[in-house]
């Protein structure tokens, strides 16, 4: 009798273990949002430049998306769009692969290889892996293995985009007799960042110059010239805003869209950096807000992030190509030299040439992609900057947000009007091209998955 009872208990125990081992690993869209946030926070900590940050977003999201595309016909691979890309390895269908888990592994591992503070991601990964492995050891092992296989394949492609080569190229030379040429600006007078970014391989664009904007007004300090009028507009807008103080809508707008990771603050003899999100990081945050409001599924969430990050990354390549081709001087430099030596902009001038406005190009491109995915009249509250001490701003569409982001640079005192208006057109044209090239489909809120 005792022997029979022992066999019964043993069978029940083994059955329980088998059941536990087969329990599916539950992964939600929220897990992916958290992973993207983790990489964003590390990039803020590591102070990555806006172009470099956009590259990290693109590769890490692509790694995840291409895995999802292997298992879901609703989300076709973008591999035909990428330059010099070969399809990721096919999964072993005899194994217990959880494609959501594999996608998260690929996203985090790819991001970890592209940032500095790897330990932060490793600690985060370890906490997730411990939970997943307990839920289903076999599925965890097979899924992680496949995710790492894809990462190894991606690394070959990533390492061939000319990024490493640009690390050893010469700095931007500031020595010139040309009065229109960009010069380093206060307070740190940093060298121009990423002067060779146009050499980075684009994701969807044919070339960095594909959407080169119309020329800015010809440089002239003669009263009445188009360029002089734009210069004085920057100067006079700042003076008018001073009359209403820090509470003016224009100043609030400028600060909300600052997104400058290089801000330096001086207190007496002490100078310290204020870490902020990049412009691309802000629009990735907007993508998160839209995806959560629309209740997108895990797969749909990755789809939205990937399309948006590709548009942002190519927008920086396109924008930087023109910045270091035209090498236009910033308003602050000319105003201090020729108009008013005590004038200061609302925002700290970023360390690179003026034309076109990076915010305008990137915002225009991101807004076009997001509009196509979520719709024309997508109302949302943008709380992306709350963590940096700024209030929530509300928008009735992505286009409205993009136009405000662009105009904020005029109110901030760091761009002429031409850089804003023509940069926005450049970004919108580029974004429309991305929509068509990736054959993006809408994900309307009422049809979004759970």
């Amino acid at each position: 009798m005792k022997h029979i009872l022992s066999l019964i208990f043993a069978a029940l125990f083994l059955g329980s273990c088998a059941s536990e081992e087969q329990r599916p690993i539950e992964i939600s869209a929220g897990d992916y949002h958290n992973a993207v946030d983790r990489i964003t926070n590390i990039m803020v900590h590591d102070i990555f430049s806006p172009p470099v940050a956009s590259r990290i977003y693109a590769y890490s999201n692509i790694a995840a998306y291409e895995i999802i595309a292997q298992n879901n016909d609703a989300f076709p691979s973008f591999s035909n769009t990428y330059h010099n890309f070969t399809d990721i390895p096919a999964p072993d269908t005899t194994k217990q692969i959880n494609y959501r888990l594999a996608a998260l592994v690929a996203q985090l591992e790819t991001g970890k290889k592209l940032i500095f503070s790897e330990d932060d991601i490793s600690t985060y990964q370890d906490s997730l892996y411990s939970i997943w492995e307990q839920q289903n050891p076999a599925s965890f092992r097979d899924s992680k293995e496949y995710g790492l296989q894809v990462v190894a394949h991606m690394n070959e492609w990533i390492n061939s985009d000319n990024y490493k080569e640009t690390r050893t190229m010469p700095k931007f030379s500031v020595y010139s007799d040309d009065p229109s040429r960009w010069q380093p600006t206060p307070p740190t007078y940093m060298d121009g960042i990423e002067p060779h970014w146009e050499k980075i391989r684009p994701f969807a664009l044919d070339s960095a110059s594909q959407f080169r904007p119309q020329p800015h007004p010809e440089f002239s300090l003669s009263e009445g010239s188009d360029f002089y009028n734009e210069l004085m507009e920057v100067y006079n807008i700042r003076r008018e805003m001073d009359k209403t103080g820090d509470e003016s809508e224009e100043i609030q707008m400028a600060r909300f869209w600052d997104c400058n990771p290089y801000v330096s603050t001086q207190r007496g003899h002490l100078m310290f950096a204020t870490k902020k999100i990049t412009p691309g990081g802000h629009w990735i945050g907007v993508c998160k807000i839209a995806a959560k409001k629309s209740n997108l599924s895990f797969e749909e969430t990755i789809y939205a992030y990937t399309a948006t990050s590709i548009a942002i990354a190519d927008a920086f390549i396109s924008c930087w190509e023109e910045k270091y081709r035209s090498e236009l001087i910033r308003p602050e430099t000319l105003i201090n030299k020729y108009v008013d030596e005590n004038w200061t902009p609302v925002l700290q001038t970023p360390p690179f040439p003026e034309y076109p406005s990076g915010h305008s190009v990137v915002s225009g491109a991101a807004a076009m992609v997001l509009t196509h995915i979520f719709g024309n009249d997508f109302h949302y509250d943008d709380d992306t900057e709350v963590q940096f001490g700024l209030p929530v701003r509300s928008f009735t569409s992505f286009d409205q947000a993009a136009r405000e982001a662009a105009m904020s640079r005029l109110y901030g005192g760091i761009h002429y009007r031409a850089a804003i208006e023509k940069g926005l057109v450049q970004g919108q044209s580029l974004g429309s091209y991305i929509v068509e090239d990736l054959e993006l489909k809408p994900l309307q809120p009422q049809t979004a998955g759970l």
Side-chain angles (χ1 to χ4, degrees):
M1 184 65 178
K2 290 182 178 179
H3 180 66
I4 293 174
L5 289 173
S6 297
L7 289 175
I8 292 172
F9 284 128
L12 290 171
F13 177 75
L14 291 173
S16 174
C17 290
S19 176
E20 181 71 18
E21 186 170 331
Q22 296 304 313
R23 185 159 58 113
I25 299 173
E26 299 294 336
I27 296 176
S28 69
D31 294 314
Y32 199 81
H33 290 309
N34 292 339
V36 173
D37 285 346
R38 179 67 53 154
I39 289 178
T40 295
N41 292 338
I42 291 173
M43 287 196 287
V44 170
H45 175 272
D46 289 347
I47 316 181
F48 279 101
S49 71
V52 175
S54 73
R55 176 177 180 264
I56 297 171
Y57 282 126
Y59 282 129
S60 58
N61 285 313
I62 287 171
Y65 179 76
E66 290 302 318
I67 288 178
I68 291 302
Q70 290 287 315
N71 188 53
N72 194 320
D73 292 339
F75 300 97
S77 169
F78 294 150
S79 60
N80 291 334
T81 292
Y82 313 134
H83 300 290
N84 307 121
F85 182 82
T86 56
D87 290 341
I88 64 172
D92 184 344
T93 56
T94 66
K95 294 189 175 182
Q96 300 180 44
I97 297 177
N98 180 315
Y99 288 88
R100 290 185 172 189
L101 192 157
L104 263 176
V105 168
Q107 188 259 1
L108 287 167
E109 286 288 344
T110 301
K112 185 168 69 173
K113 292 178 182 298
L114 299 174
I115 48 89
F116 300 143
S117 301
E118 294 183 20
D119 290 345
D120 288 348
I121 288 188
S122 294
T123 301
Y124 180 66
Q125 284 176 305
D126 290 344
S127 66
L128 292 176
Y129 292 174
S130 176
I131 296 171
W132 294 337
E133 188 170 21
Q134 290 178 25
Q135 291 177 347
N136 192 320
S139 179
F140 169 74
R141 181 186 62 249
D142 291 347
S143 305
K144 180 182 177 183
E145 181 181 282
Y146 180 56
L148 293 176
Q149 185 182 1
V150 171
V151 171
H153 180 85
M154 287 280 298
N155 283 342
E156 295 184 20
W157 181 53
I158 293 171
N159 290 333
S160 66
D161 73 350
N162 296 324
Y163 177 78
K164 290 184 177 179
E165 289 78 0
T166 62
R167 300 308 89 188
T168 59
M169 291 179 181
K171 293 182 179 180
F172 178 74
S173 174
V174 298
Y175 300 104
S176 173
D177 294 329
D178 184 349
S180 71
R181 196 166 184 262
W182 179 82
Q183 300 173 27
T185 50
T188 55
Y189 297 92
M190 289 179 61
D191 290 329
I193 65 163
E194 301 300 341
H196 305 289
W197 200 252
E198 86 284 354
K199 298 180 178 67
I200 300 296
R201 179 186 59 214
F203 291 88
L205 299 185
D206 294 334
S207 70
S209 61
Q210 184 177 353
F211 289 97
R212 184 177 287 173
Q214 293 295 312
H216 58 78
E218 183 179 359
F219 178 82
S220 171
L221 295 178
S222 299
E223 289 190 30
S225 68
D226 290 342
F227 185 88
Y228 180 83
N229 289 341
E230 289 203 357
L231 174 67
M232 293 308 295
E233 180 183 27
V234 177
Y235 175 68
N236 289 324
I237 282 178
R238 173 68 165 119
R239 295 180 68 195
E240 286 300 313
M241 288 191 301
D242 283 343
K243 296 177 183 178
T244 55
D246 289 351
E247 299 305 315
S248 73
E249 175 67 8
E250 292 82 4
I251 289 181
Q252 295 300 313
M253 192 185 300
R255 288 177 175 163
F256 182 79
W257 291 102
D258 186 13
C259 305
N260 182 358
Y262 292 101
V263 173
S264 299
T265 303
Q266 190 164 359
R267 296 285 186 271
H269 297 292
L270 177 66
M271 181 174 287
F272 57 92
T274 301
K275 297 181 179 181
K276 294 185 177 183
I277 203 169
T278 64
H282 191 130
W283 280 100
I284 289 292
V286 172
C287 180
K288 171 187 172 181
I289 292 167
K292 293 180 75 172
K293 181 176 181 179
S294 301
N295 199 26
L296 296 191
S297 68
F298 183 90
E299 291 76 13
E300 290 168 329
T301 294
I302 296 180
Y303 180 82
Y305 272 126
T306 304
T308 304
S309 62
I310 288 172
I312 291 170
D314 272 359
F316 272 111
I317 293 172
S318 177
C319 179
W320 251 243
E321 190 272 340
E322 177 60 29
K323 276 187 178 293
Y324 284 95
R325 190 184 74 87
S326 56
E327 298 179 350
L328 186 61
I329 196 166
R330 289 276 184 171
E332 182 175 17
T333 306
L334 292 178
I335 291 172
N336 286 163
K337 186 174 182 179
Y338 297 106
V339 182
D340 182 350
E341 63 180 9
N342 297 315
W343 184 91
T344 57
V346 171
L347 303 179
Q348 192 170 118
T349 302
F352 36 81
E354 192 271 345
Y355 190 79
S357 157
H359 269 59
S360 301
V361 180
V362 170
S363 298
M368 291 299 291
V369 168
L370 290 169
T371 297
H372 187 80
I373 292 175
F374 295 100
N376 287 316
D377 300 314
F378 193 94
H379 294 234
Y380 67 97
D381 297 324
D382 190 347
D383 62 356
T384 308
E385 301 287 343
V386 168
Q387 62 181 313
F388 302 107
L390 296 168
V392 174
R393 289 186 72 83
S394 298
F395 300 97
T396 58
S397 69
F398 302 111
D399 180 67
Q400 183 204 6
R403 291 178 185 279
E404 179 177 294
M407 279 302 296
S408 75
R409 314 312 273 171
L410 180 62
Y411 301 140
I414 58 178
H415 275 296
Y416 312 109
R417 183 174 290 275
I420 293 162
E421 295 179 349
K422 296 182 180 182
L424 189 61
V425 172
Q426 178 183 357
Q428 291 168 336
S429 300
L430 187 152
S432 295
Y433 175 84
I434 297 293
V435 167
E436 182 177 347
D437 201 47
L438 297 182
E439 298 181 353
L440 296 180
K441 64 179 182 180
L443 298 175
Q444 300 296 348
Q446 61 269 25
T447 60
L450 299 176

